[in-house]
Amino acid sequence: MRRPSLLLLIVCLSYSCFNEVIGQESPIPQGAIPITHRSHIYIEGTVDGKKGNYVFDTGATNLYLDTTYYAANNFSFERLFKGVLPGAGVTPQMVKVIAENVDFYFGDHHYQTSNVPILQLKPIIGDFADGILGLKYFDNTVLEFNYDDKYLKVHENLNSIDLAGWTKVSLTRDGNRLYIPCEVIVDESIRIKGQYLLDFGSGGTVTITSQVAGEYDLANQVENKVPFFTKYGGIGGRSSSQLFKAGFSTGDFNFRQIDLKFCKD
């Protein structure tokens, strides 16, 4: 069986408990950071004192600012250069990059970084997005996301977390990318098993790259599918894909059918 060389995945699995009283929100734990979940996870932060909503993105590394957010807040950075930013889609974005140190705060955390790209993010994700917060800021930590009570908590190690009721899924880190073992079951003869990129910056479920779709001849093997085109498929702009349903599993989680897609470009 041919194995995929690269697959793209966004999984939102909630490990939190439902509130015992319906309609009553539980206060978030001490030291936790409020989040907003709107297909993506948003963390409120500030850049040089300017507030914004930042997408937590495991497919990214550094800090990124949206062009509209940057223009509206009259930032005074003087040292900028032009660069090319690749991403989902067929054409990389030409962007401006801040070469100076940028101070970023969220919760009780403070980071200083440089080489911060300014990209057109709102057309891709929506007006709520003011920037992206990548995985680099959480090196050597354990992240706890609670979708029900809407908070993020950063732990130094697992010893401070009650893991009762949690289900473990194997995780591999390769450079700045995270992978988990998964399988897409198109039918009994087509099972796409391998290491899937865990990408919280993708707002869907499972996206199979065009290379893997070609290896498994999904364009001809999947009968019930719907063509889909978007001008803003990702950082790389326009993208074409096919939407379809298939089974999916990772760890002890098994789903008979979910909505997913395979890319054509």
Side-chain angles (χ1 to χ4, degrees):
M1 179 181 292
R2 294 166 295 182
R3 295 179 64 84
S5 57
L6 176 64
L7 299 160
L8 180 65
L9 167 73
I10 170 62
V11 177
C12 288
L13 299 175
S14 174
Y15 298 110
S16 55
C17 299
F18 290 103
N19 296 326
E20 293 184 3
V21 180
I22 298 177
Q24 177 178 325
E25 292 190 5
S26 301
I28 65 174
Q30 184 177 0
I33 302 166
I35 62 172
T36 301
H37 185 210
R38 299 171 59 169
S39 294
H40 298 81
I41 296 172
Y42 292 89
I43 300 171
E44 184 176 289
T46 61
V47 172
D48 285 1
K50 311 295 194 306
K51 285 187 177 182
N53 296 299
Y54 291 81
V55 177
F56 172 68
D57 185 358
T58 57
T61 54
N62 199 20
L63 177 68
Y64 305 77
L65 304 181
D66 170 70
T67 51
T68 303
Y69 166 76
Y70 183 83
N73 283 283
N74 299 313
F75 290 102
S76 57
F77 300 109
E78 297 180 355
R79 293 172 49 215
L80 295 93
F81 62 91
K82 292 183 179 180
V84 178
L85 190 65
V90 295
T91 307
Q93 271 197 46
M94 294 294 298
V95 299
K96 291 182 178 179
V97 182
I98 303 170
E100 303 175 38
N101 286 332
V102 176
D103 287 295
F104 181 73
Y105 295 83
F106 68 97
D108 296 328
H109 302 272
H110 170 224
Y111 296 96
Q112 190 176 76
T113 187
S114 59
N115 296 328
V116 176
I118 308 168
L119 69 152
Q120 292 182 331
L121 182 63
K122 291 182 185 293
I124 302 170
I125 299 180
D127 289 341
F128 195 67
D130 297 316
I132 293 174
L133 183 61
L135 197 61
K136 174 182 175 181
Y137 296 96
F138 303 100
D139 281 346
N140 302 316
T141 63
V142 177
L143 300 182
E144 175 190 356
F145 288 94
N146 188 309
Y147 289 92
D148 288 333
D149 296 331
K150 301 179 180 60
Y151 69 81
L152 156 68
K153 195 166 185 181
V154 182
H155 302 268
E156 292 185 0
N157 53 63
L158 283 174
N159 296 333
S160 60
I161 307 174
D162 181 7
L163 296 180
W166 288 61
T167 299
K168 293 181 179 180
V169 177
S170 176
L171 180 75
T172 301
R173 181 165 184 167
D174 183 4
N176 290 314
R177 297 292 182 262
L178 303 176
Y179 298 88
I180 59 176
C182 303
E183 184 176 28
V184 167
I185 303 98
V186 179
D187 55 36
E188 288 304 316
S189 63
I190 303 177
R191 304 174 75 95
I192 307 175
K193 187 176 183 179
Q195 294 293 320
Y196 286 55
L197 177 65
L198 182 65
D199 185 2
F200 276 40
S202 171
T205 54
V206 182
T207 301
I208 300 175
T209 63
S210 55
Q211 179 179 351
V212 175
E215 291 177 7
Y216 286 86
D217 193 24
L218 296 184
N220 294 313
Q221 296 299 323
V222 177
E223 294 185 4
N224 298 317
K225 54 187 181 294
V226 178
F228 177 78
F229 172 81
T230 175
K231 186 177 179 181
Y232 302 105
I235 302 301
R238 63 184 177 86
S239 179
S240 298
S241 56
Q242 296 278 349
L243 310 180
F244 70 109
K245 290 181 179 292
F248 174 76
S249 66
T250 182
D252 293 334
F253 297 96
N254 298 283
F255 303 91
R256 292 185 61 186
Q257 281 202 327
I258 63 169
D259 296 318
L260 54 128
K261 65 181 180 180
F262 63 86
C263 292
K264 299 174 64 178
D265 47 24

